[in-house]
Amino acid sequence: MSDTQAGDAGAKTGAHPLEGDQTSRRRMWEFLGGSLSLRIAVTLSLVLTVILLVFIFFATNVLRSDLFSTRRDMILADAAVRFSQVQNTLDQSTAVTTDQVQDAVTQTLTAIRESAAGAGAVEVLLLRSPDSSEAFRINEYVNPEYISVIGGGIRDELAHDVGLWQSVALANGADTIPGIVVGALIDVPSAGPYEMFVVYSLEQEQSTLNSIIQVFTVGSVPVLLLMGLVSFVLVYRLLSPVRAAAGAARSLAAGNLSSRLRVSGRDEMAQLGATFNDMAESLQSKITDYDSLSKLQQSFVSDVSHELRTPMTTIRMADEVIFDDRDALPPASKRSAELLHVEVARFEQMLADLLEISRYDAQSAQFDPESADIYSLVEKVVSANAELADHLGVDVQLGPRPERCSVPVDAIRIERVVRNLLVNACEYSEGMPVRVTVAAGKTSVAIRVRDYGVGMEPDTVRRVFDRFYRANPARTRSTGGTGLGLAISKEDVTLHNGVINAWGEPGRGSSFVVTLPRVAGSAVTEFPLIVWEGHA
Ligand code: ADP
């Protein structure tokens, strides 16, 4: 199936509910996509954001490990002092009984716990080791809150080594804070080796690091905004020659052939401007050439047609005389007289068509619309061509009269359009009926001429309104047949701001619809009749 449309394409009525959504999304894209400067600024800002994020990530990692290793060294040094203080105190103790040793241990650890607090220690613990004496047993010095942070790993290793440390997470309300646990074996008099741990908090370092990250993050926001703004302004300024080129190209496309770009300097932009100007120059000279050639051609057609009119009238009169007396002529001459009559009529029609087309070309076609009843107009054309239809054995069926089908038209032109469509339909219908329908909408009135004859190939449908186009020139016709009929129809309909559509399929017939606006000069926005089969 194929169809084509001539004249102003009418906007389809009714909008899809999703269209609103799509329109706003399209507008947003148009806003972003419409400005190259904005796109580049947004892209640069995004790239910069990623670079800054990566930088902040690496910088904080380096800082963290730096802060951590410095603090760890201090903690290890402090812990070593604490362990030796405990060991010395216990070594010098005179305690002998379990209770005495227990007291000495508790006092020493409590004192250490208090003195180490200044160095960031939060807890001191003393736990039994596998080698502790079972016979001389003292209580462990334990805070249950911290026992869980001392993992099995450090305790196992402590059996073989001293001064071991481990990173741990310390509970701080709902949060956790980083910490370090340092352990050593302490020899308790009579009780044997015990595991001593000092737990240090890294809260201070963590909050320093958090402040640094915050400064980085907050500080990068104005940097990013500034970078976005600066890149936008830079790119906007850089692209100003491209904008000028786009403006000049638009003005050229709108018909201002003399529009040119100002070229200064020798950079790439200047080369672009010079190339554009060369192109515009050659376009202008070509179009001027074509224009004058086309005007020459049009005036040639018009002049020749006018010049031919006078001799044509003489030939026509002579032909009338010969044709009227044909019965008195010998048979061969009679046949020639009849042929002459048909060809003279055809020639006269062609001359009239050519004159009409040249009037359109010269834009001198007059348009004085007057309100006319389209149904009556169509009825008149149908009855005027009843003889031709009878002669071709075609039954022309005119549909019912719709309500309110008066439209301001140039009646002579619209009659000519309907006559042309009807005569074509009868000619190509191969004896099948031809259906003529008139329908009225709110803002337009339409006429459809539908036949069920030979139909049209897709290429014919596309070219049917072209001047001198005839799908099958060899085809014998009972009327004129110059290939100008539909071209003139299209001009006639376009003059009314109307739309003419064609549809056809080989063997299934053809259909032509003319849609005219109810208000002279307004565009067609509604199509009361659809051209293609299935919707007919
Ligand atoms: P013509 O004077 O040849 O009829 P038109 O401009 O009226 O010139 O038509 C151009 C061509 O369009 C015709 O030669 C024919 O091939 C094709 N055509 C027009 N109407 C029909 C139709 N109803 N069915 C099939 N072909 C058609």
Side-chain angles (χ1 to χ4, degrees), residues 420 424-425 428 451 454-456 464 469-471 477 481-486 510 512:
N420 192 24
N424 277 348
Y428 295 103
D451 70 69
V454 291
M456 294 187 278
V464 80
Y469 177 75
R470 300 189 62 202
R477 288 190 48 144
T482 58
L484 280 170
L486 287 176
S510 308
F512 288 84

Side-chain angles (χ1 to χ4, degrees), residues 392-414:
L392 294 168
V394 175
D395 175 22
V396 178
Q397 304 164 353
L398 177 59
R401 166 187 281 277
E403 274 179 30
R404 292 184 61 243
C405 58
S406 286
V407 177
V409 289
D410 180 335
I412 297 190
R413 285 201 161 87
I414 296 302

Side-chain angles (χ1 to χ4, degrees), residues 1-3 456 458 461 503-506 508 531-535:
M1 186 199 288
S2 46
D3 71 286
M456 294 187 278
V461 175
W503 169 89
E505 255 184 46
R508 294 186 62 199
V531 72
W532 54 87
E533 168 116 310
H535 297 265

Side-chain angles (χ1 to χ4, degrees), residues 44 273 275 386 490 533:
L44 268 178
T275 316
K490 178 187 157 184
E533 168 116 310

Side-chain angles (χ1 to χ4, degrees), residues 463-507:
R463 300 177 54 197
V464 80
F465 298 106
D466 290 356
R467 289 177 187 187
F468 299 107
Y469 177 75
R470 300 189 62 202
N472 185 0
R475 199 181 152 89
T476 52
R477 288 190 48 144
S478 42
T479 58
T482 58
L484 280 170
L486 287 176
I488 294 176
S489 298
K490 178 187 157 184
E491 298 282 6
D492 283 337
V493 174
T494 308
L495 192 70
H496 287 76
N497 255 17
V499 175
I500 181 164
N501 297 318
W503 169 89
E505 255 184 46

